[in-house]
Amino acid sequence: MQHTVDVILLTYKPQKQVMRLIEALEAQTYPINKIIIMNTEEKYFEALFYGTRFLEKYKNIEVHHVSAKEFDHGATRNRGTAYSNADIFVCMTHDAIPADSFLIEKLVSALEEKKGAAAAYARQLPLPECREIEKYTRSFNYPEEGMVKSKADIGRLGIKTYFCSNVCAAYNRNIFDMMGGFVKKAIFNEDMIFAGHAVQAGYKIVYAAEAKVLHSHNYSCMQQFQRNFDLGVSQADHPEVFQGVSSKSEGISLVKKTVKHLIEEKQKRMIPYLILSSGCKYIGYQLGIHYKQLPYGIIVKCSSNKQYWK
């Protein structure tokens, strides 16, 4: 059975790589019905595409603009899904590039093959300029072998049961609608919140390792701190998903294995930076978890999503 598939692509201050991303999507083996671009702040979008006639080459692209004030990680994606009537939709961010022409085909297959699969997310491969620590983090979070996660795995996998990334993830539209879509207000982490609710409702989350995108960042320690603060906030706001499911052991395991990897790769000089950045992540996360006890001004300074608090 051939499913209809739409891609919901979120952009903000897009760079030229977005053109490469669109070209890669248009070259997929599995046909894409529509590419729905949800862009934040029209002026930045126009600055990239004005005078290029790039988008005119393709008849299946529609663009919708929202202001920075309107943007929300959950609500904006829900708005994008409202423009789609496809059986399956794929959420992507503008900084992810399909690694090959089989990305959509592999995501669709993952949803088809696993009965009760609510979502399937792609493997993220590091970009060439990625630092060694981030490269290893990518391989830790996105291993070569795929998996199917369900409620029965919570005791074994802990919080990793709910892991899913909207950098590139496909959703079964029927299940998505039955679950009520993404949470309507989210500072961050709308993908894991949806996955957690879906798993608790008896559905499955598929890690489709054969579906691959190029995506990585070289975040500074401050950026790591702020992102993990927002992560903590998202978990504090959704105890129905995250309460009683600790992520501490997962974080400790990552640090230990990264140290071992750096030693093996003769990159010992990076261990102090690993310790510093890991400390920033941990402190940011702990402050985020307890954000309700902090003054408003401190909360805004700690968050990477300052517009969320206004």
Side-chain angles (χ1 to χ4, degrees), residues 157-306:
L157 295 176
I159 199 167
K160 209 161 188 176
T161 311
Y162 303 151
F163 186 72
C164 182
S165 175
N166 270 345
V167 163
C168 184
Y171 292 85
N172 179 312
R173 183 58 188 258
N174 287 336
I175 295 176
F176 181 82
D177 287 346
M178 282 191 289
M179 293 297 301
F182 296 117
V183 61
K184 293 172 180 59
K185 186 171 174 59
I187 188 170
F188 187 54
N189 216 25
E190 80 296 329
D191 38 21
M192 279 188 70
I193 295 167
F194 175 84
H197 285 141
V199 167
Q200 290 176 3
Y203 297 109
K204 298 179 177 70
I205 302 298
V206 183
Y207 167 47
E210 292 184 351
K212 293 172 283 193
V213 292
L214 300 172
H215 176 262
S216 60
H217 292 284
N218 289 321
Y219 287 127
S220 67
C221 288
M222 188 60 184
Q223 287 172 318
Q224 298 278 24
F225 171 89
Q226 291 178 326
R227 284 176 61 82
N228 279 270
F229 178 85
D230 291 350
L231 176 65
V233 169
S234 75
Q235 293 190 13
D237 283 347
H238 292 277
E240 79 284 359
V241 175
F242 299 106
Q243 195 169 51
V245 185
S246 174
S247 60
K248 187 176 179 182
S249 60
E250 190 72 10
I252 292 171
S253 176
L254 173 58
V255 173
K256 287 181 176 178
K257 289 182 178 180
T258 306
V259 168
K260 183 181 177 183
H261 172 77
L262 291 173
I263 292 170
E264 289 173 350
E265 293 296 313
K266 297 181 171 51
Q267 299 274 351
K268 289 183 182 179
R269 71 184 189 282
M270 299 192 74
I271 292 176
Y273 178 78
L274 169 67
I275 294 169
L276 176 62
S277 62
S278 299
C280 289
K281 287 181 183 179
Y282 180 75
I283 294 168
Y285 175 74
Q286 287 298 321
L287 286 173
I289 286 287
H290 300 98
Y291 83 94
K292 292 176 183 177
Q293 300 169 32
L294 300 175
Y296 173 78
I298 297 296
I299 291 172
V300 174
K301 285 183 179 179
C302 288
S303 176
S304 66
N305 188 355
K306 302 189 187 308

Side-chain angles (χ1 to χ4, degrees), residues 17-166:
Q17 70 177 27
V18 171
M19 296 180 180
R20 182 181 161 204
L21 163 57
I22 291 171
E23 288 173 339
L25 288 174
E26 297 288 4
Q28 291 291 300
T29 55
Y30 202 100
I32 295 170
N33 181 48
K34 283 197 296 187
I35 298 175
I36 301 164
I37 299 177
M38 299 300 297
N39 175 70
T40 302
E41 294 296 333
E42 186 172 359
K43 62 183 178 181
Y44 300 120
F45 193 86
E46 290 299 317
L48 175 64
F49 289 105
Y50 180 76
T52 66
R53 303 180 70 87
F54 177 83
L55 295 177
E56 294 176 23
K57 293 192 294 182
Y58 306 108
K59 305 303 180 187
N60 64 337
I61 295 176
E62 60 180 68
V63 182
H64 303 274
H65 299 287
V66 299
S67 67
K69 187 177 180 180
E70 291 176 295
F71 176 81
D72 180 89
H73 283 282
T76 301
R77 286 177 170 88
N78 282 338
R79 185 169 163 183
T81 67
Y83 296 120
S84 169
N85 293 314
D87 306 325
I88 293 170
F89 65 88
V90 179
C91 284
M92 291 189 73
T93 55
H94 70 204
D95 54 356
I97 305 292
D100 54 39
S101 59
F102 303 103
L103 172 67
I104 302 299
E105 180 181 325
K106 297 298 183 182
L107 288 172
V108 171
S109 294
L111 289 179
E112 284 179 332
E113 291 169 7
K114 307 301 177 186
K115 187 177 179 182
Y121 64 100
R123 184 182 181 193
Q124 295 182 29
L125 302 174
L127 293 162
E129 64 271 20
C130 184
R131 288 193 295 247
E132 192 63 34
I133 291 172
E134 177 63 12
K135 282 182 183 176
Y136 186 76
T137 301
R138 281 284 172 268
S139 67
F140 182 87
N141 289 327
Y142 303 94
E144 291 184 8
E145 198 164 321
M147 67 172 75
V148 181
K149 300 175 291 186
S150 68
K151 198 171 185 178
D153 297 306
I154 294 174
R156 178 173 63 89
L157 295 176
I159 199 167
K160 209 161 188 176
T161 311
Y162 303 151
F163 186 72
C164 182
S165 175
N166 270 345

